[in-house]
């Protein structure tokens, strides 16, 4: 009886310790889940406040180490649509730079399949990953089938990415995807309000703000500015002889040519109808005149085909005003350049005239 009683007490103690251990594990798990939920909520709030993709990258770099154990590192890459590749924008936790700074879209199997991919001998390895002796998982960043980037995690050797951590990473990928998508949508809306839809040049509304800023910068840096007002000669004939679609085609092609021959810091705007305004920094009057002549010459060489018909040659008349010589405000400079434009028209068109 004593032995039975002793065994019962021992068993009860073992059971109690087991229950206590289990309860401690449950408490630890609850605390861990609570921490993850709070961190994810914080991530969501911070991403909502981001105004551009660079801010998103900074938020991810800050939050990720708090969501995962120290043995897990990672990298974030965004899609560079211009070059059709993934560009690594940030890493954390001592992650390798995953080989190159940029890699092809098809080199990330998660992006290629639009589904998270665990790299191993069974599933295959993402070509952009350089190590094959670590637990590595890639997650696509996408919204409604539109691919935005990739999130990669890598565990240290002899460590692994748990199922719970996989779930957290999936949530992070979803948060980041939505944030990027919202930013892109906002940028598109802003672009629509600032650019002319036909020529893709800036519109008059943007010119008024950016032009004033250009003058302010020129004043601060003691620089000269040239304000060019450009007008397509005899534009009405394109609409009258070939239809308004042909006229739109001419405007779009002229806008494309302006973008090709302009400098990076030039402000190109469609001012209205067939009239354009360019604001640019120059060294002196001569360099402004050379630039205006370049636009005239480039337009002369433009050959436009419209549904198999060769359109008449396109020429420009240009008036040029200089800051500060011809005015101190954008309105004054445009008015002065416009007068020089009419002089170019009266002198036979297809030329540039400097304001006096």
């Amino acid at each position: 009886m004593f032995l039975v009683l002793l065994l019962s007490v021992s068993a009860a103690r073992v059971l109690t310790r087991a229950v206590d251990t289990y309860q401690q594990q449950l408490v630890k798990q609850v605390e861990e889940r609570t921490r993850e939920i709070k961190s994810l909520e914080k991530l969501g709030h911070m991403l909502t406040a981001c105004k551009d993709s660079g801010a998103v990258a900074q938020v991810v770099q800050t939050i990720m180490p708090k969501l995962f154990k120290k043995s897990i590192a990672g990298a974030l890459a965004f899609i560079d649509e211009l070059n059709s590749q993934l560009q690594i924008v940030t890493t954390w936790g001592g992650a390798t730079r995953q080989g190159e700074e940029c890699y092809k879209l098809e080199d990330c199997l998660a992006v290629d399949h639009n589904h998270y991919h665990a790299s191993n001998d069974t599933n295959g390895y993402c070509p952009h990953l350089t190590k094959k002796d670590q637990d590595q998982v890639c997650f696509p960043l996408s919204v409604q089938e539109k691919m935005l980037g990739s999130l990669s995690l890598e565990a240290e050797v002899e460590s692994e990415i748990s199922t719970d951590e996989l779930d957290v990473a999936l949530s992070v990928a979803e948060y980041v995807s939505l944030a990027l998508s919202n930013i892109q949508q906002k940028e598109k809306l802003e672009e629509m309000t600032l650019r002319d839809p036909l020529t893709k040049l800036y519109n008059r509304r943007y010119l008024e703000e950016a032009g004033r800023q250009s003058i302010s910068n020129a004043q601060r840096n003691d620089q000269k500015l040239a304000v060019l007002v450009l007008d397509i000669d005899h534009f009405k004939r394109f609409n009258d002889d070939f239809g308004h679609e042909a006229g739109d085609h001419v405007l779009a092609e002229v806008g494309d040519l302006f973008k090709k021959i302009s400098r990076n810091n030039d402000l190109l705007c469609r001012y209205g109808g067939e009239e354009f305004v360019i604001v640019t920094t120059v060294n002196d009057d001569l360099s402004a005149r050379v630039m205006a002549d370049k636009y005239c010459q480039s337009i002369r060489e433009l050959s436009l085909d419209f549904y198999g018909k060769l359109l008449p040659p396109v020429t420009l008349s240009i008036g040029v005003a200089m800051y500060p010589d011809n005015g101190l405000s954008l309105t004054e400079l445009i008015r002065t350049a416009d007068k020089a434009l009419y002089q170019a028209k009266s002198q036979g068109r297809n030329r540039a005239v400097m304001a006096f």
Side-chain angles (χ1 to χ4, degrees):
M1 288 291 294
F2 178 75
L3 181 59
V4 171
L5 180 61
L6 182 62
L7 290 174
S8 298
V9 171
S10 298
R13 288 176 178 174
V14 170
L15 182 60
T16 299
R17 284 197 296 269
V19 170
D20 289 343
T21 301
Y22 181 67
Q23 288 179 336
Q24 291 173 4
Q25 291 175 346
L26 284 178
V27 170
K28 186 177 180 180
Q29 288 177 358
V30 170
E31 291 175 347
E32 184 69 17
R33 295 293 82 76
T34 301
R35 184 185 65 82
E36 289 174 354
I37 291 172
K38 288 183 178 180
S39 295
L40 285 172
E41 287 178 348
K42 184 177 180 181
L43 174 67
H45 291 311
M46 294 176 70
L47 288 175
T48 301
C50 290
K51 295 183 178 180
D52 54 47
S53 58
V56 171
Q58 291 179 351
V59 168
V60 171
Q61 185 183 47
T62 301
I63 293 294
M64 292 302 278
K66 300 177 182 179
L67 284 171
F68 298 91
K69 55 181 178 281
K70 293 182 179 180
S71 60
I72 294 181
L76 180 68
F78 294 155
I79 285 185
D80 177 359
E81 293 184 350
L82 182 63
N83 299 305
S84 298
Q85 62 184 10
L86 283 156
Q87 170 76 49
I88 295 177
V89 293
T90 189
T91 62
W92 60 90
T96 62
R97 293 300 284 182
Q98 313 263 324
E100 300 295 333
E101 297 291 325
C102 302
Y103 49 93
K104 298 177 182 178
L105 301 183
E106 58 268 26
D107 284 347
C108 181
L109 298 179
V111 169
D112 197 37
H113 300 152
N114 197 13
H115 190 276
Y116 81 86
H117 179 83
S119 290
N120 52 47
D121 292 333
T122 302
N123 299 330
Y125 292 87
C126 280
H128 71 95
L129 299 176
T130 58
K131 298 180 180 180
K132 294 187 177 182
D133 57 348
Q134 298 177 207
D135 196 7
Q136 297 173 320
V137 184
C138 295
F139 306 84
L141 305 178
S142 64
V143 174
Q144 295 180 348
E145 302 301 319
K146 177 177 173 56
M147 198 57 58
L148 303 168
S150 172
L151 176 71
S152 303
L153 295 183
E154 61 178 49
E156 292 179 355
V157 178
E158 298 182 357
S159 182
E160 64 178 16
I161 300 171
S162 68
T163 302
D164 289 338
E165 288 165 333
L166 182 66
D167 290 338
V168 171
L170 286 168
S171 296
V172 171
E174 184 176 351
Y175 276 122
V176 174
S177 298
L178 290 173
L180 288 176
S181 179
N182 288 336
I183 288 170
Q184 290 184 2
Q185 291 298 323
K186 289 179 182 178
E187 289 176 345
K188 286 182 180 179
L189 289 174
E190 290 176 359
E191 188 81 357
M192 289 172 63
T193 63
L194 298 178
R195 287 193 184 272
D196 170 54
L198 182 61
T199 63
K200 303 300 186 290
L201 302 180
Y202 287 114
N203 58 25
R204 189 167 180 168
R205 173 188 172 189
Y206 182 82
L207 169 67
E208 293 173 353
E209 177 62 33
R212 284 194 292 268
Q213 185 62 50
S214 295
I215 290 175
S216 177
N217 292 340
Q219 182 181 27
R220 184 170 57 254
N221 299 317
D222 194 24
Q223 294 176 315
K224 281 183 172 289
L225 281 181
V227 175
L228 286 66
V229 177
L230 312 89
D231 188 85
I232 300 176
D233 295 327
H234 301 297
F235 179 74
K236 188 174 182 294
R237 65 178 174 171
F238 292 105
N239 289 330
D240 293 344
D241 297 345
F242 300 92
H244 287 281
E245 188 178 357
D248 288 347
H249 178 64
V250 172
L251 289 169
E253 290 295 323
V254 168
D256 283 342
L257 181 61
F258 284 174
K259 285 182 283 188
K260 290 177 182 177
I261 64 179
S262 65
R263 300 176 303 179
N264 289 336
N265 294 328
D266 291 348
L267 177 59
L268 309 176
C269 303
R270 183 184 178 190
Y271 198 61
E274 66 272 21
E275 196 168 72
F276 302 84
V277 171
I278 298 175
V279 180
T280 180
T281 304
V282 293
N283 294 325
D284 48 37
D285 292 17
L286 179 59
S287 59
R289 179 56 188 258
V290 169
M291 178 179 295
D293 288 340
K294 176 184 176 182
Y295 277 92
C296 280
Q297 180 62 34
S298 298
I299 290 294
R300 290 190 201 108
E301 298 170 356
L302 188 63
S303 179
L304 297 181
D305 179 272
F306 182 67
Y307 292 121
K309 291 182 179 181
L310 188 64
L311 295 176
V314 182
T315 61
L316 290 176
S317 293
I318 304 176
V320 184
M322 299 293 297
Y323 169 87
D325 302 338
N326 301 126
L328 300 178
S329 69
L330 180 65
T331 301
E332 187 178 4
L333 289 166
I334 291 178
R335 186 185 303 119
T336 304
D338 206 41
K339 291 179 181 178
L341 167 66
Y342 280 104
Q343 291 179 24
K345 295 281 189 183
S346 64
Q347 293 173 16
R349 294 180 168 83
N350 190 21
R351 68 193 64 212
V353 170
M354 300 289 294
F356 293 103

